[in-house]
Amino acid sequence: EVTAWTRRRNDDEKKINWGFTSENANEKLSKHYV
């Protein structure tokens, strides 16, 4: 069942809308990395 769902999702070429850019992520997460 999971394989069928995954195959269907991939065939539909669904995209993930992360809602932020890599620049935003770097800015928000920079304090966690040295």
Side-chain angles (χ1 to χ4, degrees):
E1 187 175 328
V2 172
T3 303
W5 178 86
T6 303
R7 190 171 294 126
R8 239 185 352 262
R9 291 283 293 177
N10 289 339
D11 290 345
D12 290 346
E13 296 181 4
K14 297 291 184 190
K15 303 293 183 213
I16 297 173
N17 180 7
W18 290 104
F20 57 86
T21 64
S22 58
E23 290 83 17
N24 290 4
N26 288 338
E27 185 178 316
K28 295 279 186 190
L29 300 174
S30 64
K31 63 184 174 190
H32 298 290
Y33 301 100
V34 178

